[in-house]
Amino acid sequence: MYEFAVTPAVTQIRRRGVSITEVAPGSIAAELELEPGDRIMRVNGRVVRDYLDFRFQSGGETELVIDVRKPTGEDWELNIERDESEDLGLGFEQIVPRQCANECLFCFCKGNPETARPSLFVRDEDVRLSFLYGNYTTLTSITEDEMRRVIEQRLSPQYVSVHATDLEVRAYLLGIDRERADIRAKMRRMLDAGIEIHAQVVLCPRINDGEILRQTIYDLAALHPGVRSVAIVPLGLTRYLNDPRLTAVTPDSCRRTIEEVSAIQKDLRKRMGTTFAFLGDEIYLKAGQDVPSRKHYGEYPQIEDGVGMVRAFTSQFESMMRKLERKDVSVNAASGTIMTGTLFAPVLRQMINRLNQQSGTKLKVVAVPNEYFGGDVSVAGLLTGGDFLSARPEVSGDFVIIPKVVLKSDDAIMLDGMRFEELRQKFDVPLHACDFQDLVSTIEGRLN
Ligand code: SF4
């Protein structure tokens, strides 16, 4: 989710070079007596600002001159010879992200309770994180240095929040002036240099939907194939994000958007051979409609943004069910509860009911309302420890599964600060955090 890649920002300050955090035993780095806390300042005479620089400047080089500063202030110069594929065995501190200077109407930071963890308020706008983790940037404040770096180091693809190509509307949504909102030349420069872009539109009813959305999609389609895809995801209002200028996304507005965008998709598929503009799963689910077929999504270019996740999962589930049916086996008499967000629960429940019928399992799907953020937040990834606790009375069976995505990627902690271990202790049956897709893969694997 949005915060995980940027957590260290609140605990680190920018210093020159990049700090080593790990040295693999028996590696070249260990032989050279490098240690956690040492900072790499230069590689082959070129300044290193972060681990991306290190990777870029050392990649493919068999002879390296590395300038290291020890915590004592002592400077070392190391001359290294290695095979091209030989890893140095170093782990580095995470990147400290650049922050945005926008005031977006719908900024997720405004949607957090005041007590939320500091990392949830980090407004990252960093082309490095865009390349590494698929975080979106608006490109409004990209510096010349960053632009050159994207091009020189081939930080492609970039994920760009466009929202609207109409400058007036984009400036309004981002809370900035038209001049800063205009990123046409910046996008052109990236595309001309061969950097690919995946665009995003956060759909705000009555602001950038309808004709503005149509224009945005066609303007971006004119930049295809450099612009690879556009993800259109709905605005998410929480109880804290209730700006009167924003209108909630409703089942009706979702149905309207699907109808309008379907016609555009059809046209684009005919002319470009790709759907190109994809609606987020949430829009179909809120509209009460089935998500499109697997073919619609092609290579699932923006699945991490919730575009095609449901189809990818149902396809995988169907494949598992076919194997189960062919083999006509009972998996086991597993009896337990699967918790998920209210949006996905009805879809998952249908699938799990089929599994129960086919294999004799007694699994129950519980839709967990999001009380922490409130509003219309219904996705699984934003559920918190408190939300799961409130759903405890619905538990049945011998175990409970919650979606792994609710945990921070490098620490078993949830968005309300509750640790997984603490939550686990409050349940009478074993609690597991699982990626549903991994679960299906495991069952499928056993059937092969
Ligand atoms: S770009 Fe907008 S939505 Fe993203 S962090 Fe900045 S203000 Fe918030």
Side-chain angles (χ1 to χ4, degrees):
M1 292 305 299
Y2 55 79
E3 61 127 9
F4 295 151
V6 299
T7 306
V10 291
T11 56
Q12 294 184 355
I13 49 165
R14 283 167 199 265
R15 287 185 292 154
R16 295 189 61 198
V18 60
S19 183
I20 295 171
T21 53
E22 280 174 43
V23 178
S27 63
I28 300 179
E31 265 174 46
L32 291 166
E33 297 179 15
L34 286 170
E35 293 172 330
D38 293 349
R39 296 185 73 76
I40 295 191
M41 310 302 284
R42 284 190 186 75
V43 173
N44 291 346
R46 295 190 68 183
V47 168
V48 172
R49 293 160 290 186
D50 49 43
Y51 75 81
L52 263 184
D53 266 349
F54 180 82
R55 213 165 89 177
F56 179 72
Q57 281 153 28
S58 63
E61 298 284 344
T62 51
E63 290 180 15
L64 295 166
V65 180
I66 297 185
D67 294 338
V68 178
R69 180 155 301 162
K70 304 295 277 184
T72 53
E74 197 184 344
D75 288 325
W76 287 9
E77 186 184 280
L78 301 173
N79 289 280
I80 301 170
E81 277 187 34
R82 61 167 183 177
D83 293 339
E84 205 172 319
S85 58
E86 206 173 0
D87 188 45
L88 292 177
L90 290 170
F92 294 106
E93 64 183 334
Q94 287 198 43
I95 284 172
V96 179
R98 277 237 301 136
Q99 309 265 315
C100 86
N102 304 322
E103 271 305 325
C104 296
L105 279 186
F106 49 79
C107 180
F108 56 79
C109 293
K110 298 182 201 164
N112 295 323
E114 273 183 24
T115 52
R117 286 208 317 273
S119 60
L120 286 180
F121 295 93
V122 175
R123 300 180 170 208
D124 75 297
E125 164 94 351
D126 197 311
V127 287
R128 297 168 301 174
L129 299 180
S130 190
F131 166 69
L132 288 170
Y133 304 111
N135 293 12
Y136 292 89
T137 70
T138 61
L139 295 184
T140 51
S141 51
I142 185 173
T143 61
E144 177 57 25
D145 196 35
E146 286 172 319
M147 176 65 87
R148 284 211 202 115
R149 184 178 186 177
V150 167
I151 293 169
E152 186 197 2
Q153 298 187 352
R154 314 301 307 159
L155 304 185
S156 175
Q158 286 290 310
Y159 291 79
V160 179
S161 276
V162 172
H163 304 317
T165 50
D166 180 298
L167 280 190
E168 210 61 61
V169 175
R170 185 168 201 262
Y172 177 70
L173 279 167
L174 267 57
I176 54 177
D177 59 41
R178 276 180 56 127
E179 201 185 329
R180 274 192 53 217
D182 187 356
I183 54 167
R184 286 173 296 187
K186 294 171 186 172
M187 283 179 66
R188 187 72 269 167
R189 190 167 161 200
M190 284 187 180
L191 296 172
D192 286 348
I195 303 297
E196 294 186 338
I197 291 174
H198 290 284
Q200 178 188 232
V201 169
V202 172
L203 194 65
C204 300
R206 299 197 198 152
I207 300 178
N208 64 346
D209 57 353
E211 181 52 29
I212 297 290
L213 178 61
R214 197 190 71 81
Q215 189 60 49
T216 301
I217 296 172
Y218 277 112
D219 285 346
L220 291 169
L223 301 174
H224 182 79
V227 174
R228 307 289 311 160
S229 68
V230 188
I232 299 144
V233 295
L235 161 75
L237 292 179
T238 71
R239 77 168 105 251
Y240 310 95
L241 177 60
N242 45 19
D243 190 312
R245 292 169 295 177
L246 294 172
T247 306
V249 172
T250 62
D252 269 350
S253 69
C254 288
R255 283 190 277 274
R256 214 168 30 248
T257 299
I258 292 170
E259 198 182 321
E260 290 165 2
V261 173
S262 294
I264 299 171
Q265 289 167 334
K266 200 168 157 197
D267 176 44
L268 294 179
R269 266 197 301 268
K270 202 157 75 186
R271 295 199 283 123
M272 296 167 27
T274 162
T275 305
F276 182 71
F278 301 90
L279 292 174
D281 296 351
E282 220 177 319
I283 295 182
Y284 295 100
L285 297 180
K286 273 205 166 118
Q289 296 186 10
D290 286 343
V291 295
S293 68
R294 201 157 69 169
K295 204 167 144 212
H296 174 94
Y297 293 104
E299 292 175 0
Y300 293 96
Q302 300 221 37
I303 193 163
E304 297 299 329
D305 200 22
V307 179
M309 263 183 190
V310 172
R311 176 50 65 206
F313 180 68
T314 48
S315 300
Q316 196 188 359
F317 185 85
E318 289 303 332
S319 150
M320 179 195 76
M321 285 303 291
R322 280 194 297 275
K323 282 183 193 158
L324 262 180
E325 280 156 17
R326 268 204 308 273
K327 299 204 168 189
D328 195 24
V329 288
S330 283
V331 174
N332 59 36
S335 160
T337 301
I338 304 175
M339 292 185 169
T340 188
T342 52
L343 191 71
F344 185 51
V347 180
L348 186 62
R349 190 173 292 128
Q350 264 189 8
M351 293 191 259
I352 293 298
N353 287 347
R354 277 181 54 204
L355 177 66
N356 287 340
Q357 275 173 11
Q358 175 66 35
S359 67
T361 51
K362 290 192 184 97
L363 301 174
K364 174 184 175 186
V365 174
V366 169
V368 182
N370 195 314
E371 291 163 9
Y372 187 72
F373 289 102
D376 55 11
V377 176
S378 52
V379 294
L382 294 178
L383 286 171
T384 64
D387 297 323
F388 293 119
L389 281 183
S390 301
R392 255 182 324 182
E394 306 225 30
V395 168
S396 68
D398 307 326
F399 59 86
V400 175
I401 292 176
I402 63 169
K404 194 172 169 192
V405 67
V406 302
L407 301 179
K408 197 161 165 281
S409 58
D410 59 354
D411 195 6
I413 191 167
M414 286 162 282
L415 292 171
D416 59 354
M418 190 185 291
R419 302 203 70 83
F420 180 61
E421 200 43 49
E422 190 186 338
L423 181 67
R424 184 181 258 169
Q425 281 166 12
K426 291 185 172 151
F427 277 77
D428 297 330
V429 290
L431 178 76
H432 308 281
C434 288
D435 180 328
F436 296 158
Q437 268 176 297
D438 287 349
L439 204 62
V440 173
S441 300
T442 308
I443 299 174
E444 208 181 358
R446 287 190 186 159
L447 293 171
N448 283 332

